[in-house]
Amino acid sequence: MENSEIARIFLEISELLELKGENTFKIRAYQKAARSIEGLSLDLDQVYKEGGIKALKEIPGIGESLAEKIEEKITTGKVKKHQQLIRRFSPGFIELMDIPGLGPKTAMKLFKEEKINSIAKLKKAIKSGKIKDLPGIKDKKVQNISAGIKLKEKAKGRFLISEATEYAAAIVKKLEKMGPVKKIVPAGSLRRQKETIGDLDILVTSEKAEKITAGFADLALVSRVLAKGPTRSSAILKNNMQCDLRVVKPSEYGAALHYFTGSQQHAIAIRQLARTMGLKVSEYGVFKGKKRIAGRTEEEVFGALGLKYIPPELRENRGELEAAQNGKLPILVELEDIRGDLHCHSDRSDGSNTIAEMAAAGREMGYEYMAITDHSVSTRIAGGQTEKEFLKEMSAIEKLRTKGIKILKGVEVDILPDGSLDFRDFVLKEADVVIAAIHSRFKMSKKDMTKRILSAMDNKYVNIIAHPTGRLINERAPYEIDMEEIFRVAAQTGTFMELNSHPSRLDLNDTHCRQAARHKILVSINTDSHNIGGLANIRFGVSTARRGWLEKKDVLNSLPYAGLLKKLYQKRR
Ligand code: DGT
Ligand code: CA
Ligand code: CA
């Protein structure tokens, strides 16, 4: 519950320290800790409660002083050092620093020299052209900042699925203890597993509605109550996310759940279909005239309309009603179908765990195999390895025998701006799985960027294109590429596409997944983990794949080890 908030605080501290000109070692420590916490599958609150500061220190990247800060946040709600830094720089300035494309240094310049300390003032300065008077701010930089402001405004109020999941789980846990409740389900876009969540919609069945709505309003993680009635309540949570709570009778559960799950477009299509059958669907049930004929469960609601059960991830009015009518609903891929993770980093590039630790964590997840894919030399900021270092890593993996899981030798090799690869073929040949990715020059033209990726796919050692569009949700727009052309050539060359499960990426996105399946391209659902905690993000990748109508057969890493190796080595022949 505290995790994302603490991660955010640590990131902010690192940025502010950078401005203060603190030493890079300290700055890096905060960044690394933030990353490690974001990837943590355990609740920091819980870790602290059970094992105190000692348990906190066991988390990779968390030393004595950072553990103390986490303790401070959990026990006092604040981190003094963070507060001091904010006071020093003013909140408006923090807001500026948050704009993608505008780093702390530029924010500082705007603040000091033009007294710009809010997004509104920044927009004004861009419009009047005053911003260009500042030294070192060129047209291109201004363009980037404008794009960043737009992205920020569009993102306003939409949260990453990981953060929404974390808060929903915390609320469910508290409500469960509150009295006689039968079911508590997060509905809305979270149940549909959309990539970003506007607000939480939590549905509860209970005969004692008032007790629940009152208790909800009193929760510590609620910061402001917007509305409170006998069966419903709305509040703003500590992270500024809204949460709507509805309590219904058990007999209405199915109809209410269907209604509050949405999407609105899906619900409209359902109501239209009902009308053609002489029925009426509402949040209370399915009615024939005055008579209620269904509503206790969702299956009942769909059944009354002659439909098979439609999984929430498909409810976007993208053809799911027709499919449900014709028995053509896909049998969606499930978390249990994933047999291994093909994109993981170790401490040999920018990860925080050793290869052995990563493999052991993979085995814990029940995986049959896992690929270690550290960065190549060009991604210097991510500790990219030279060819020589990489070859050493490959032989280290070969010697490493971890019981119960197979470790694949892998690499995440850079696709350079001219489309060539960072490692030579005789080096790539040593890997079982080669992931190719773009980490530089994001702003090339659509034509050039597409060509860049196509030429990487032409290499017979390249198995998977990682995070194909490069977007970072709420932070960086996808690069311009011709997806259709990329899929066409992927199919032709036997290259697979990654669905990167990191909640900030989810790249391929849901519609791309569907497009890939139409081209008969296998999608590899990977986590791009940089620590053992990151492996749990696989759930968000699987959800996105499900939203893209993918079945087990569409997913590369649902194959057993032998079948996987065959697929990977096919291209080399
Ligand atoms: P979000 O919160 O923007 O990520 O997206 P949703 O889908 O969670 O939307 P939200 O929170 O406004 O509403 C939750 C569900 O409740 C929505 O999916 C369908 C249902 N709903 C809410 N308001 C309306 C409405 O005015 N008409 C209909 N038909 N359904 C509604
Ligand atoms: Ca919602
Ligand atoms: Ca809502």
Side-chain angles (χ1 to χ4, degrees):
M1 154 65 234
E2 296 269 14
N3 291 20
S4 55
E5 220 181 317
I6 292 173
R8 187 185 54 78
I9 288 174
F10 281 1
L11 268 184
E12 255 175 41
I13 292 180
S14 81
E15 285 172 340
L16 295 169
L17 286 179
E18 195 177 339
L19 282 179
K20 260 184 75 192
E22 279 279 359
N23 74 51
T24 41
F25 180 74
K26 213 162 161 185
I27 297 165
R28 281 279 171 87
Y30 278 101
Q31 286 169 348
K32 206 160 181 180
R35 276 254 288 266
S36 172
I37 290 168
E38 269 172 4
L40 205 66
S41 49
L42 301 165
D43 215 348
L44 283 176
D45 247 344
Q46 201 73 23
V47 172
Y48 178 69
K49 214 185 277 165
E50 282 165 16
I53 204 155
K54 193 157 162 268
L56 291 175
K57 279 196 306 201
E58 275 163 27
I59 300 167
I62 309 288
E64 179 84 40
S65 106
L66 291 181
E68 277 168 11
K69 297 213 167 45
I70 296 173
E71 177 179 49
E72 194 186 343
K73 174 72 181 61
I74 290 171
T75 52
T76 70
K78 289 191 184 104
V79 178
K80 232 190 285 150
K81 175 156 192 159
H82 182 230
Q83 303 278 314
Q84 278 166 356
L85 285 164
I86 287 184
R87 241 174 288 135
R88 181 173 168 152
F89 288 103
S90 102
F93 173 74
I94 309 272
E95 179 184 291
L96 285 190
M97 220 171 55
D98 219 28
I99 298 170
L102 200 163
K105 296 239 165 69
T106 312
M108 182 63 136
K109 212 180 281 173
L110 295 169
F111 182 61
K112 265 200 174 147
E113 295 177 27
E114 293 293 329
K115 305 235 177 327
I116 294 171
N117 60 1
S118 70
I119 292 184
K121 280 188 188 160
L122 177 60
K123 276 166 86 171
K124 231 175 177 172
I126 292 174
K127 211 164 160 199
S128 68
K130 213 168 96 186
I131 191 169
K132 284 184 217 153
D133 298 343
L134 287 170
I137 300 199
K138 302 200 183 76
D139 277 355
K140 198 151 172 219
K141 182 94 198 164
V142 178
Q143 270 171 30
N144 286 351
I145 295 173
S146 298
I149 294 175
K150 268 204 200 107
L151 208 67
K152 200 80 209 159
E153 285 176 339
K154 211 175 115 205
K156 217 178 202 134
R158 293 205 69 85
F159 294 82
L160 295 186
I161 189 170
S162 45
E163 187 168 350
T165 302
E166 193 181 311
Y167 274 76
I171 290 171
V172 168
K173 211 161 129 193
K174 298 279 186 213
L175 291 178
E176 271 168 354
K177 293 190 192 134
M178 214 163 266
V181 291
K182 294 227 164 65
K183 290 201 165 85
I184 310 174
V185 190
S189 51
L190 182 59
R191 184 156 182 255
R192 304 197 312 279
Q193 297 281 290
K194 248 183 98 157
E195 59 191 31
T196 60
I197 308 298
D199 67 6
L200 295 179
D201 306 280
I202 299 197
L203 186 72
V204 176
T205 61
S206 173
E207 306 285 1
K208 291 240 161 57
E210 256 162 292
K211 207 167 163 195
I212 308 293
T213 48
F216 169 70
D218 284 341
L219 289 179
L221 50 92
V222 163
S223 74
R224 194 153 51 91
V225 176
L226 300 174
K228 200 166 99 183
T231 60
R232 60 170 74 203
S233 182
S234 277
I236 303 290
L237 306 176
K238 283 275 159 64
N239 65 341
N240 276 331
M241 189 188 296
Q242 185 172 326
C243 180
D244 299 332
L245 178 79
R246 272 292 284 260
V247 189
V248 301
K249 288 187 225 126
S251 63
E252 289 163 358
Y253 172 69
L257 181 59
H258 180 262
Y259 180 88
F260 290 109
T261 297
S263 67
Q264 208 164 329
Q265 297 312 314
H266 166 87
I268 290 170
I270 286 276
R271 266 177 270 142
Q272 273 167 357
L273 170 68
R275 215 168 300 134
T276 65
M277 300 168 75
L279 301 173
K280 208 178 148 256
V281 178
S282 77
E283 58 187 287
Y284 304 106
V286 183
F287 296 85
K288 189 171 203 163
K290 286 229 159 67
K291 190 169 177 260
R292 201 177 97 121
I293 60 166
R296 180 167 278 276
T297 65
E298 279 193 326
E299 281 81 358
E300 233 182 69
V301 173
F302 286 120
L305 301 172
L307 299 174
K308 283 256 165 56
Y309 177 82
I310 301 175
E313 295 92 334
L314 297 184
R315 300 184 198 167
E316 298 289 348
N317 196 27
R318 295 175 181 163
E320 70 276 13
L321 261 59
E322 293 75 6
Q325 278 172 324
N326 305 330
K328 293 248 162 71
L329 279 174
I331 300 165
L332 298 177
V333 60
E334 292 181 20
L335 198 52
E336 291 70 40
D337 295 330
I338 303 299
R339 292 193 185 234
D341 201 324
L342 296 179
H343 186 170
C344 298
H345 296 273
S346 79
D347 58 359
R348 287 175 182 248
S349 64
D350 58 344
S352 33
N353 289 103
T354 63
I355 298 171
E357 286 166 347
M358 290 300 283
R363 189 186 51 205
E364 271 316 277
M365 303 267 300
Y367 286 156
E368 192 181 331
Y369 50 79
M370 173 185 244
I372 298 294
T373 53
D374 279 312
H375 287 287
S376 62
V377 64
S378 285
T379 314
R380 253 191 220 103
I381 50 160
Q385 299 190 99
T386 60
E387 288 180 333
K388 214 165 140 195
E389 287 164 335
F390 162 76
L391 290 171
K392 253 168 90 182
E393 179 176 23
M394 294 304 100
S395 57
I397 291 179
E398 232 164 45
K399 283 191 208 111
L400 194 73
R401 293 272 174 267
T402 305
K403 266 203 202 104
I405 187 164
K406 304 215 163 51
I407 311 175
L408 278 94
K409 294 182 287 178
V411 57
E412 178 176 11
V413 66
D414 261 61
I415 307 174
L416 301 175
D418 66 358
S420 67
L421 298 173
D422 209 10
F423 283 172
R424 287 168 289 176
D425 280 4
F426 79 91
V427 177
L428 293 176
K429 189 164 162 273
E430 294 306 312
D432 299 312
V433 53
V434 174
I435 292 187
I438 286 174
H439 293 111
S440 63
R441 292 281 306 278
F442 300 124
K443 290 193 168 61
M444 286 167 60
S445 73
K446 183 169 177 174
K447 196 166 142 250
D448 290 342
M449 202 54 144
T450 305
K451 228 171 89 193
R452 184 174 174 187
I453 295 177
L454 296 187
S455 48
M457 292 196 294
D458 253 342
N459 182 298
K460 69 173 175 175
Y461 295 104
V462 170
N463 297 119
I464 302 172
I465 302 294
H467 39 74
T469 80
R471 71 148 172 196
L472 291 175
I473 296 176
N474 292 353
E475 278 172 52
R476 185 169 77 207
Y479 19 85
E480 307 243 2
I481 39 175
D482 183 342
M483 260 318 195
E484 192 59 27
E485 180 67 3
I486 286 172
F487 285 137
R488 200 181 59 73
V489 176
Q492 208 175 61
T493 54
T495 313
F496 311 116
M497 286 287 159
E498 175 174 86
L499 191 186
N500 190 297
S501 307
H502 194 285
S504 303
R505 289 196 183 267
L506 297 175
D507 179 9
L508 306 173
N509 69 16
D510 52 1
T511 52
H512 290 144
C513 283
R514 218 169 160 187
Q515 205 178 344
R518 274 200 292 270
H519 283 272
K520 304 216 182 323
I521 296 160
L522 295 186
V523 172
S524 185
I525 309 179
N526 305 330
T527 60
D528 199 352
S529 287
H530 286 73
N531 51 56
I532 56 177
L535 294 173
N537 283 332
I538 193 77
R539 60 183 290 191
F540 301 120
V542 171
S543 300
T544 301
R546 289 168 64 85
R547 287 180 57 83
W549 293 54
L550 295 194
E551 305 195 0
K552 183 179 175 186
K553 67 167 172 48
D554 302 314
V555 177
L556 178 68
N557 47 332
S558 74
L559 287 168
Y561 182 66
L564 172 77
L565 276 192
K566 210 170 129 195
K567 281 270 179 228
L568 291 174
Y569 277 87
Q570 221 164 38
K571 195 176 172 185
R572 297 189 185 185
R573 276 191 260 115

